[in-house]
């Protein structure tokens, strides 16, 4: 049995760190499985559920007092695992609805929406979570919690929230039998003002996405 396994089994299952790590591990496994593409028809509702559950862990981390790691310097974890293949698989699966418009900071006045991608968001979230999980599996629990809390506040919390809003919107449009506005011709490499965003938006009818994404219309 590895040192990391010994450390994990020694912790109380009700411990805050164990609960957060379990939620994060569940998300990592679930999204990786979705990206395999074995059940594309249920991808959107399944991702909606998984991101919602992950943000519960994020909320707990955000509400927790500042976590201080035991060591003053972060150990070198080596190169980060590549997530390009996962990102590309998710992008192909979500292609009809992958690009969405997002307000980066709701407290900055009169900021125009910017284009974002659900696949990019999820890949970025997974990168941050895996980094903390590497510490956790090596028994550096305080380092893992510190990283998850810091990166939630600075990065993955916003990305997961944006992806959740987009996924929820897709489900709502389909279930309520409402047309979706697609950002045709708009991509994350472009920087367009609000008027250009509106001009670029076209309609994607519900029936074009309901079948491929495993959603059903309300009659």
């Amino acid at each position: 049995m590895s040192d990391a396994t010994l450390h994990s089994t020694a912790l109380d299952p009700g411990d805050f760190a164990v609960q957060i790590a379990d939620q994060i591990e569940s998300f990592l496994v679930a999204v990786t499985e979705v990206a395999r593409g074995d059940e594309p028809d249920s991808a959107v509702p399944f991702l909606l559920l998984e991101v919602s559950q992950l943000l519960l862990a994020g909320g707990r981390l955000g509400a927790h007092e500042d976590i201080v790691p035991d060591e003053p310097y972060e150990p070198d974890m080596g190169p980060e695992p590549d997530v390009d293949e996962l990102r590309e698989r998710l992008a192909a699966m979500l292609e009809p609805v992958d690009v969405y418009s997002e307000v980066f900071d709701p407290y900055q006045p009169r900021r125009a929406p910017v284009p974002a991608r659900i696949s990019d968001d999820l890949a970025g979230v997974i990168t941050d979570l895996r980094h903390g999980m590497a510490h956790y599996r090596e028994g550096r629990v305080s380092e893992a919690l510190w990283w998850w809390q810091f990166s939630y506040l600075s990065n993955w919390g916003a990305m997961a929230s944006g992806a959740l809003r987009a996924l929820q919107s897709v489900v709502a449009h389909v279930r309520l039998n409402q047309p979706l506005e697609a950002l045709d011709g708009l991509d994350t490499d472009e920087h367009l003002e609000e008027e250009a965003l509106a001009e670029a938006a076209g309609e994607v009818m519900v029936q074009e996405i309901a079948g491929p994404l495993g959603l059903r219309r309300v009659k």
Side-chain angles (χ1 to χ4, degrees):
M1 185 178 294
S2 68
D3 291 342
T5 303
L6 285 170
H7 181 87
S8 297
T9 55
L11 291 173
D12 182 349
D15 185 84
F16 177 76
V18 175
Q19 294 174 4
I20 296 297
D22 285 349
Q23 287 182 283
I24 288 174
E25 178 68 18
S26 176
F27 176 82
L28 293 173
V29 171
V31 176
T32 301
E33 285 299 308
V34 171
R36 289 168 56 91
D38 295 336
E39 298 184 22
D41 289 351
S42 59
V44 166
F46 195 72
L47 288 173
L48 175 64
L49 175 61
E50 292 300 324
V51 176
S52 298
Q53 292 177 334
L54 175 68
L55 282 170
L56 172 59
R60 295 181 67 191
L61 287 164
H64 199 281
E65 62 184 8
D66 287 349
I67 298 168
V68 179
D70 293 335
E71 301 295 330
Y73 301 103
E74 180 182 10
D76 183 9
M77 301 302 298
E80 297 286 353
D82 187 18
V83 296
D84 284 346
E85 182 180 355
L86 181 142
R87 179 190 293 106
E88 291 168 2
R89 286 178 175 271
L90 288 172
M93 189 182 307
L94 300 171
E95 193 275 332
V97 293
D98 193 25
V99 178
Y100 68 98
S101 61
E102 170 77 336
V103 177
F104 182 72
D105 188 341
Y107 286 101
Q108 290 185 354
R110 294 181 295 280
R111 292 300 294 265
V114 296
R117 283 183 175 271
I118 298 172
S119 56
D120 287 345
D121 290 339
L122 294 178
V125 170
I126 284 176
T127 297
D128 281 347
L129 298 182
R130 282 178 176 174
H131 186 88
M133 186 59 70
H135 286 300
Y136 184 80
R137 287 170 177 162
E138 291 295 324
R140 294 186 290 271
V141 176
S142 65
E143 187 74 44
L145 288 174
W146 173 84
W147 173 257
W148 284 330
Q149 183 186 61
F150 169 77
S151 56
Y152 167 76
L153 296 172
S154 64
N155 196 42
W156 72 260
M159 289 191 293
S161 298
L164 178 68
R165 183 69 184 92
L167 292 164
Q168 189 274 339
S169 182
V170 173
V171 172
H173 276 285
V174 173
R175 296 279 168 81
L176 299 177
N177 194 17
Q178 298 174 343
L180 265 175
E181 291 186 347
L183 305 181
D184 294 334
L186 186 67
D187 206 345
T188 50
D189 293 332
E190 301 182 37
H191 302 283
L192 302 181
E193 297 299 324
E194 187 171 2
E195 295 80 4
L197 264 175
E199 184 178 346
E203 287 192 351
V204 172
M205 299 306 292
V206 171
Q207 57 266 32
E208 294 180 1
I209 66 170
L213 298 181
L215 303 172
R216 295 295 178 264
R217 298 172 57 178
V218 176
K219 298 182 178 179

